[in-house]
Amino acid sequence: MLEGLRVASQNWIGRTLMGLVMGFIAISFAVWGIGDVFRGFSSQRLVKIGGGEITVEAFRASYQNELRRLQQRLRRGITNEEARRAGLDQQVLDRLITDLSLDQRARALGLSISEDETQKLLKAEKVFQGVSGEFDPDRFKQIIHDAGFTERSFLVDQKGAYLRKEITDSVSSGLEPPRLMLEAIYRFRNETRAIDAILLPPSVVGPIAAPSDEEVKKYFTERESTFRAKEFRKLTVLAATPAALAKPAEVAADEVRKYYDEVKAQRFGAPEKREVSQLVFKTEIEAKDALARLKGGATFEALAAERKLDPKDANLGLVTQGDFGDAKVGAAVFSSPAPGFTEIVATPFGFVVSRVAKIQPAVFSKTFEQAEAELRAELATRTAAPTVRGQHEAIEDQRGAGKTLKEAGAAVGLEARDIEAVDDSGRDKAGKAVADLPGGPELLKAAFASDKGVDNEAVATRDGGYVWFEVTDVEQARQQGFDEVKGEVEAAMRKEALEKALSAKAKELVEQLRAGKPIDNLAGELGLQIRHVAEVKRANRPDFSPATIVQFFEAPPRGAGSAPVEGGQLVFFVAESSAPKFDPTSPEVLGIAEQLKPALVNDVLEQYVGGLEKTLGVDINQKALQAAIGGDGEK
């Protein structure tokens, strides 16, 4: 054949025919066989970035490793579909694109790192150190094996990681939140308002007239889906959890007493509080001089004035030990047995001198006797936790032998429980939460994804246990008839009408306050009491909901507003509003700066990497991406 082709191509007719045939073959390959080659993609290339690429295999390996880590963290299997709905595929792809972009930048800058230096840095990583604080080779091997690496591949991976870190560190070095941002956040957090308020009870609008039958029917027709009966399921559940296996009676009394002493300050009352003022000095010499003057009779207020600080800015108010950003400062303040001045504490922000003006002792709401049963149950649960795995295996053996859940439970000393009716939110037909529902939301999700008579896998609980379940009956969701819900519809109409009437009344009173009418006069006319609330900040208070506090700050100073609250409608007047003086050296402002810095660094790095990717050019083969994760790409 080859000889025939050679002979045919020796004259111009043969060469012309051969050219036509080869051209036709090339076009055929381009259309049907190797189009991706002409379009810049090989069968293994997933992403092209500048002069580098990410292969399908590299993406698939990273995706599977991340999926495995996620499954280990959640202690349950995760399907491809679940992972993709959560955006895991895009997260892995974004990370690989970022790494490749930075790798190319490192090469362009001529950065490199030797294997010896890489090994030295790895040995210094705390994650690879044992209890002695030294590098532990066995721990190192176990960790990288669990992550899917060999020693050689991990070393190569980390060489790239350290070079990328050199670039990102140089980009983010020296970044600090702008003063304007710090001041805005500080003032937002610490603005205080004094509020005068009156609560309008339902009685101020009088009785709500009963709706007619025609009105009730019309209301039902317009909102028929609102009165739809939910789907309910009857379940049989068997729990092998630390709580189910716990034996509180076997916990020794002295052990419970010791536990109470450990947790009583945090759980059973208000911890000790101290009224504290602080000044921060740049040098230790300045701090020592200030402390000597204070002990010699100088006032804290005078020192604050010398530094051009309002005494209020230096006053932290009543604080607990946990309120201090620096634990050393908190320890110094709470170690003194009586009010006075603490010793100087060195912090990253300067040298702190503190004054304790008042000590408010801790108050405990529960005595040992009142808390004993609760703590005994907790200790018993901890003790039972290690036995859960054995129970899991024993129950699985029973189920493998064909036993029902009740039979399997009886065989290992546990009792299965019947739940007569539960909806997907964990409530029964009366609308009450089902008590002691094992597995919580995880059980409900699995139960409503299953069906009657299906053999289900155990659901892992958050406390390290397992719950097996059977769906024994299903009551389908249905539309309820008017006669079934007439009373419920009428009650909903009355409630809605009452809320509208109260809101209208509150709006009328707010307009009067805005027009200059004193709230005292308003309260007197209505026969209602005024509540004076001082020192309101945007941070949540236990006596007001977050939504109500937002309304307090939506109104301007000397302005008025209203908000729905439990028991009626709150009408309020902003009597005072004050913003604290901003001190960029105060511990609180320095703490805000530390909190903001990671977000600022992330924003700058995102912009830097985004610019790199734009310069290099990112070309993604979407078809290969869909094939790599085994889906059609629909989210």
Side-chain angles (χ1 to χ4, degrees), residues 58-103:
F59 170 78
R60 187 179 288 122
S62 294
Y63 176 81
Q64 291 299 330
N65 284 339
E66 196 62 39
L67 182 60
R68 185 175 64 253
R69 282 193 284 269
L70 186 61
Q71 290 171 333
Q72 290 173 346
R73 200 158 56 240
L74 298 179
R75 302 182 63 185
R76 70 178 182 87
I78 299 174
T79 65
N80 237 359
E81 184 182 354
E82 287 180 293
R84 291 180 61 215
R85 280 203 302 266
L88 183 65
D89 54 337
Q90 193 61 50
Q91 292 170 24
V92 171
L93 184 62
D94 289 345
R95 176 173 56 80
L96 291 175
I97 291 173
T98 296
D99 287 353
L100 182 54
S101 300
L102 291 171
D103 288 342

Side-chain angles (χ1 to χ4, degrees), residues 230-247:
K230 299 188 72 174
E231 178 180 324
F232 286 92
R233 297 196 166 202
K234 182 178 181 180
L235 307 177
T236 297
V237 297
L238 176 62
T241 63
L245 301 176
K247 297 180 180 179

Side-chain angles (χ1 to χ4, degrees), residues 439-466:
E442 288 81 9
L443 171 65
L444 292 171
K445 181 180 179 181
F448 276 80
S450 182
D451 208 343
K452 184 177 177 180
V454 174
D455 189 19
N456 303 287
E457 292 294 324
V459 175
T461 63
R462 295 179 183 180
D463 61 353
Y466 299 90

Side-chain angles (χ1 to χ4, degrees), residues 374-423:
E374 176 185 344
L375 298 181
R376 184 181 291 277
E378 286 184 21
L379 289 173
T381 298
R382 289 185 188 178
T383 304
T387 67
V388 169
R389 187 65 193 172
Q391 290 281 26
H392 174 271
E393 293 175 358
I395 292 170
E396 284 295 323
D397 289 342
Q398 293 292 323
R399 294 182 72 216
K403 299 290 182 66
T404 65
L405 282 187
K406 291 185 178 181
E407 292 170 340
V412 299
L414 295 174
E415 184 178 355
R417 170 187 171 192
D418 288 326
I419 299 174
E420 292 299 321
V422 63
D423 65 16

Side-chain angles (χ1 to χ4, degrees), residues 59 77 109 138 204 224 237 246 280 291 310 338 423 598:
F59 170 78
L109 293 172
D138 293 333
V204 300
E224 193 171 346
V237 297
V280 182
L291 184 58
D310 189 318
D423 65 16

Side-chain angles (χ1 to χ4, degrees), residues 320-616:
T320 66
Q321 187 168 349
D323 290 334
F324 289 89
D326 192 308
K328 292 184 295 183
V329 177
V333 167
F334 279 78
S335 64
S336 59
F341 301 104
T342 68
E343 291 304 313
I344 298 167
V345 179
T347 75
F349 311 116
F351 296 86
V352 179
V353 175
S354 304
R355 177 187 67 178
V356 178
K358 183 172 67 175
I359 297 176
Q360 181 177 298
V363 179
F364 302 111
S365 60
K366 281 188 179 182
T367 63
F368 170 72
E369 290 73 19
Q370 292 170 324
E372 183 179 8
E374 176 185 344
L375 298 181
R376 184 181 291 277
E378 286 184 21
L379 289 173
T381 298
R382 289 185 188 178
T383 304
T387 67
V388 169
R389 187 65 193 172
Q391 290 281 26
H392 174 271
E393 293 175 358
I395 292 170
E396 284 295 323
D397 289 342
Q398 293 292 323
R399 294 182 72 216
K403 299 290 182 66
T404 65
L405 282 187
K406 291 185 178 181
E407 292 170 340
V412 299
L414 295 174
E415 184 178 355
R417 170 187 171 192
D418 288 326
I419 299 174
E420 292 299 321
V422 63
D423 65 16
D424 58 0
S425 65
R427 298 185 178 276
D428 60 20
K429 290 187 176 181
K432 297 180 180 178
V434 175
D436 301 322
L437 185 67
E442 288 81 9
L443 171 65
L444 292 171
K445 181 180 179 181
F448 276 80
S450 182
D451 208 343
K452 184 177 177 180
V454 174
D455 189 19
N456 303 287
E457 292 294 324
V459 175
T461 63
R462 295 179 183 180
D463 61 353
Y466 299 90
V467 179
W468 291 263
F469 69 93
E470 293 175 357
V471 179
T472 56
D473 199 10
V474 177
E475 184 178 315
Q476 298 292 345
R478 64 181 181 85
Q479 181 60 58
Q480 298 180 96
F482 175 71
D483 292 337
E484 291 180 89
V485 294
K486 181 179 179 182
E488 187 181 339
V489 175
E490 185 173 342
M493 291 184 69
R494 284 176 175 270
K495 181 182 178 182
E496 187 177 298
L498 177 60
E499 290 173 351
K500 286 182 178 179
L502 265 179
S503 180
K505 181 67 176 178
K507 185 176 180 181
E508 174 192 327
L509 299 177
V510 167
E511 291 302 323
Q512 293 181 40
L513 291 174
R514 289 173 178 170
K517 188 171 186 177
I519 194 169
D520 299 41
N521 295 356
L522 203 61
E525 293 173 2
L526 296 169
L528 300 173
Q529 290 186 335
I530 296 179
R531 180 181 176 186
H532 303 281
V533 188
E535 297 293 317
V536 178
K537 291 187 178 183
R538 286 182 171 88
N540 293 349
R541 291 171 53 122
D543 47 347
F544 292 110
S545 71
T548 301
I549 294 176
V550 167
Q551 292 301 314
F552 288 162
F553 284 87
E554 284 291 324
R558 309 298 296 174
S562 66
V565 296
E566 186 176 352
Q569 193 86 10
L570 195 71
V571 174
F572 63 86
F573 178 74
V574 183
E576 294 179 16
S577 177
S578 62
K581 183 179 178 181
F582 177 71
D583 176 12
T585 64
S586 70
E588 183 178 356
V589 174
L590 294 172
I592 293 172
E594 285 300 302
Q595 293 170 4
L596 287 177
K597 191 171 180 178
L600 181 63
V601 168
N602 285 339
D603 284 346
V604 170
L605 289 179
E606 281 184 13
Q607 293 179 46
Y608 176 77
V609 172
L612 270 182
E613 292 173 5
K614 186 176 181 180
T615 301
L616 293 169

